[in-house]
Amino acid sequence: MSYKGRGKTQGGKPERSGAQVSRTGLKEGELPFYKQAANILARLERREGSIKNLTIGNDDIKDEDKRSVYALICQTLKFAPVLTRILDANKAMKKEKLGRRAELLMANDMLLSSQGLRRKGADPKMNKAMSRHESSLKRELNRIRQEVRARNDEDLVPLHLRDGASTFRYVRVNNLVSNMDKVLEHFYKEGYEIVTPNRDELHDVLKVRARKLMRDLDLDDVLVFPPGTDLHAHRLFVTGAIILQDKASCMPAHVVQPTPGSMALDACAAPGNKTSHMVSMMANQGKVFAFDLDRFRLNTLVKLTDKAQCKIIEAKCANFLELDPLDPEYASVEFALLDPSCSGSGIVNRMDVLVDSYIALGQGADQAAKPEADKARLANLAEFQASIVLHAMRFPSIKRISYSTCSVHEEENEAVVACILGAQSEFTLAPRDQVIPSWPRRGLETGGLTKEQAACVVRTLPEDGTNGFFVAGFVRQAPADLDRIREELKALASSDKSAMLPPKDDAEDDAVPDIDAAYRGNKRKAAGGSAMPTKKEKRHDKKPKPASAVVPSTKSKGKKRPKRKESVADA
């Protein structure tokens, strides 16, 4: 995503007010650009929502401005520590009475953007006031650069806020396009050193941005690169031979173990990395139903899985909980991958990291989290998650299920598994030797699970070099009771339909935004071209998909699309 629409000053001179008022494009009562962005910072301080919900999902922001505001907020939060130092050193700024939030946003554009302060939609008086201090602010920035010996702007960012600074870069080999041997050979010819460290040596051997890689110790189709490795412009990624997907996100497909020629489903499928992983394991033989309630995200799934050369996916815009498990169309479905909405508390590079860091600077007054609200939200999520798994268990031919979250909370993980085990008797936990057996970190003996049951599920934490994650496998141990299923479906038909929708402000692990990629304004790394989409790329993005690619469900028609958190297919 690029931050578009910023105006340039002429000859490097401060912008002038007066005649610029007519160019802002503001309607009566409409907030200027930077004031609108400052209000979003204030709402983030009060934890009223995610960055994406407050920008992309904000109806008060013009559609053409949403991505610009989103990128500006992300970039400002990322550089907030150094911008705060710069502003604090300029005491004269206080007399302008712009407000600290607006100062941070405008300082970001003035000092760190090649295009300077934005004109379109901005208040000329605010721009003029900020421009009066441009020289002194730039002097302080240069002083800090010398102090920290910064080679580029990224060196000004604290290590924990840099994209990919703490987790390894994981790459899944797409066996539909290439194979492990060919991919390894390609990187070897590019000068990468292939290493084979032990698990406790990973962080020492795969240092940040080192030109090294290794085969993953647990998943046979995954490669591991050092933190900070940028492969977004790499030819293998562009052609679909490799998928940029976090290791933890690759685990569910290995747990559900779909076989070639079988029929499977992905209940909460978008943006589609796990779906394409199942298809890869099935060698494009059989069929995969991919369901998602969000039409926009489902179109993203179609685009990404097309790039991965998946041929057996039938994508449906539908609420999984409203599907009839006894529909003959699904009579042969044997495998179900379930990764329902969750708190996203395990995602290392989420926007929340930036927000928490910003709040820690003391920018806002309403900084305290609301423990009781958080507890209620987790309870709502857990109820929804359990309902997804129990509904999948009503499909009479399903024999294997994976349940996963990108959460570290017991309420969404072990407690949900215990609830499911206690609510039915046809499925039990898959044994440990079928659930990533070589992975050492297992579940917690809590939330209602015994020690033996906890050993059958998988946990990952950021200290493992991946996102926080949870995976459990269920296997059928008794035939489906069709009479019971019919009775349950009858009861569900008369229940509250709102309970079938995911709670708002949810998150997915396939949703880790690359802030630098979102804001990059000069050149694409390794591609040598513009970071902005070319006209050809824009035309390609707008090219409509075949009508058969997405099959809307009449049952979901008319329902309001629930808001989602950051969704970029790079997890």
Side-chain angles (χ1 to χ4, degrees):
M1 183 192 309
S2 299
Y3 178 27
K4 305 177 185 177
R6 280 167 281 180
K8 296 181 180 179
T9 57
Q10 297 182 359
K13 296 180 180 180
E15 296 189 50
R16 297 175 181 176
S17 57
Q20 297 296 324
V21 174
S22 61
R23 299 184 188 179
T24 62
L26 291 174
K27 297 179 181 179
E28 186 177 353
E30 190 174 346
L31 282 177
F33 181 82
Y34 289 115
K35 284 188 178 180
Q36 196 169 44
N39 284 348
I40 292 171
L41 283 183
R43 294 182 67 184
L44 287 171
E45 292 166 13
R46 297 191 294 270
R47 301 186 185 276
E48 292 182 7
S50 70
I51 299 175
K52 194 146 195 181
N53 282 346
L54 296 177
T55 54
I56 304 298
N58 191 338
D59 293 336
D60 293 331
I61 302 176
K62 295 178 181 178
D63 288 343
E64 61 267 28
D65 288 341
K66 287 183 177 182
R67 291 182 178 272
S68 298
V69 176
Y70 173 73
L72 173 61
I73 294 289
C74 291
Q75 188 78 347
T76 301
L77 293 178
K78 180 177 177 181
F79 284 93
V82 68
L83 292 174
T84 298
R85 286 186 61 188
I86 293 169
L87 292 169
D88 285 345
N90 190 322
K91 306 298 183 185
M93 279 292 301
K94 292 183 179 180
K95 70 179 183 181
E96 304 293 356
K97 298 182 179 180
L98 294 173
R100 177 47 62 96
R101 300 181 187 101
E103 289 174 357
L104 284 168
L105 295 160
M106 299 178 78
N108 177 83
D109 274 356
M110 175 181 284
L111 303 177
L112 301 173
S113 165
S114 61
Q115 296 175 309
L117 287 172
R118 178 185 172 112
R119 280 185 173 183
K120 183 180 178 182
D123 183 340
K125 293 181 180 179
M126 292 178 66
N127 283 6
K128 185 176 181 180
M130 192 73 187
S131 297
R132 282 196 284 266
H133 305 272
E134 183 173 1
S135 297
S136 60
L137 294 175
K138 286 185 174 179
R139 280 197 301 271
E140 182 62 17
L141 172 61
N142 290 331
R143 188 193 68 77
I144 294 175
R145 280 178 172 151
Q146 294 175 2
E147 176 187 309
V148 301
R149 298 180 180 180
R151 296 164 297 178
N152 50 49
D153 288 343
E154 186 71 12
D155 289 343
L156 298 171
V157 180
L159 284 174
H160 71 287
L161 297 183
R162 297 181 190 177
D163 185 57
S166 56
T167 61
F168 296 116
R169 161 59 73 192
Y170 294 96
V171 166
R172 174 169 63 82
V173 175
N174 182 10
N175 290 317
L176 302 177
V177 177
S178 188
N179 59 54
M180 179 62 74
D181 290 339
K182 289 181 180 178
V183 170
L184 283 172
E185 181 181 5
H186 189 104
F187 281 113
Y188 178 75
K189 288 181 178 178
E190 287 187 349
Y192 281 85
E193 179 186 355
I194 301 173
V195 296
T196 56
N198 297 322
R199 199 180 296 274
D200 57 359
E201 299 173 329
L202 293 182
H203 288 279
D204 293 330
V205 175
L206 296 178
K207 294 183 178 179
V208 176
R209 293 185 175 86
R211 207 165 175 78
K212 297 180 179 180
L213 78 153
M214 62 173 285
R215 293 192 65 163
D216 188 72
L217 299 174
D218 308 289
L219 307 178
D220 59 10
D221 54 358
V222 173
L223 293 173
V224 191
F225 290 78
T229 301
D230 187 357
L231 298 171
H232 288 85
H234 196 280
R235 188 168 71 87
L236 292 181
F237 173 67
V238 173
T239 59
I242 60 174
I243 310 291
L244 305 183
Q245 185 173 356
D246 188 70
K247 173 178 179 173
S249 177
C250 295
M251 289 181 172
H254 282 279
V255 171
V256 74
Q257 301 173 11
T259 55
S262 64
M263 192 174 287
L265 68 79
D266 189 341
C268 310
N273 277 344
K274 298 182 188 70
T275 316
S276 70
H277 195 182
M278 281 203 295
V279 175
S280 178
M281 296 180 72
M282 295 166 67
N284 250 341
Q285 300 173 35
K287 189 170 188 176
V288 175
F289 292 102
F291 303 102
D292 203 275
L293 188 58
D294 188 312
R295 188 180 303 278
F296 176 81
R297 285 168 47 82
L298 196 66
N299 286 333
T300 299
L301 176 144
V302 172
K303 182 177 179 180
L304 292 180
T305 54
D306 279 354
K307 176 184 174 183
Q309 297 189 23
C310 299
K311 307 296 184 184
I312 61 171
I313 295 175
E314 183 174 343
K316 294 192 175 189
C317 186
N319 184 344
F320 178 71
L321 290 175
E322 293 186 0
L323 296 180
D324 181 1
L326 302 182
D327 188 322
E329 185 176 14
Y330 311 121
S332 299
V333 174
E334 297 179 281
F335 303 95
L337 190 153
L338 312 176
D339 189 70
S341 303
C342 73
S343 66
S345 57
I347 298 178
V348 174
N349 291 322
R350 286 189 65 204
M351 297 294 97
D352 286 355
V353 176
L354 293 177
V355 175
D356 291 343
S357 174
Y358 167 71
I359 290 176
L361 289 172
Q363 305 294 352
D366 303 321
Q367 300 175 12
K370 303 175 180 63
E372 292 304 318
D374 289 344
K375 192 175 294 185
R377 177 170 174 258
L378 287 178
N380 289 336
L381 283 167
E383 182 178 359
F384 173 74
Q385 291 152 357
S387 68
I388 288 285
V389 181
L390 291 170
H391 193 61
M393 290 177 173
R394 296 186 182 108
F395 286 70
S397 295
I398 283 185
K399 59 184 182 182
R400 193 172 184 91
I401 294 172
S402 71
Y403 166 69
S404 58
T405 73
C406 48
S407 170
V408 297
H409 296 308
E410 169 196 325
E411 292 92 332
E412 299 177 89
N413 299 331
E414 287 87 356
V416 168
V417 170
C419 170
I420 292 165
L421 292 175
Q424 51 77 48
S425 58
E426 294 178 3
F427 284 82
T428 187
L429 280 174
R432 172 174 176 151
D433 61 6
Q434 297 179 15
V435 185
I436 324 293
S438 59
W439 182 254
R441 192 183 298 281
R442 314 307 290 189
L444 303 176
E445 189 182 343
T446 184
L449 294 188
T450 65
K451 182 178 180 180
E452 291 74 19
Q453 289 171 330
C456 294
V457 301
V458 164
R459 268 184 173 266
T460 68
L461 293 177
E463 62 197 69
D464 300 320
T466 183
N467 287 312
F469 208 78
F470 177 86
V471 191
F474 296 94
V475 292
R476 184 177 288 280
Q477 63 177 356
D481 184 339
L482 297 181
D483 290 335
R484 175 188 60 81
I485 293 173
R486 291 189 183 96
E487 286 299 317
E488 290 179 354
L489 293 176
K490 186 177 180 180
L492 286 172
S494 59
S495 64
D496 181 9
K497 297 298 182 183
S498 65
M500 295 185 176
L501 295 174
K504 292 184 179 180
D505 293 333
D506 53 350
E508 297 82 19
D509 69 292
D510 280 356
V512 185
D514 181 344
I515 303 161
D516 296 319
Y519 202 85
R520 214 170 274 136
N522 294 319
K523 296 180 180 179
R524 283 183 180 165
K525 298 178 181 179
S530 170
M532 304 286 286
T534 64
K535 291 182 179 179
K536 182 177 180 182
E537 289 171 327
K538 288 179 180 178
R539 287 198 301 270
H540 176 74
D541 287 343
K542 293 179 181 178
K543 184 178 179 181
K545 294 291 177 183
S548 59
V550 179
V551 184
S553 169
T554 55
K555 294 179 181 179
S556 300
K557 201 169 184 179
K559 286 189 177 293
K560 186 177 180 180
R561 176 163 58 90
K563 295 180 180 179
R564 298 273 185 167
K565 279 204 173 180
E566 290 71 37
S567 60
V568 173
D570 179 24

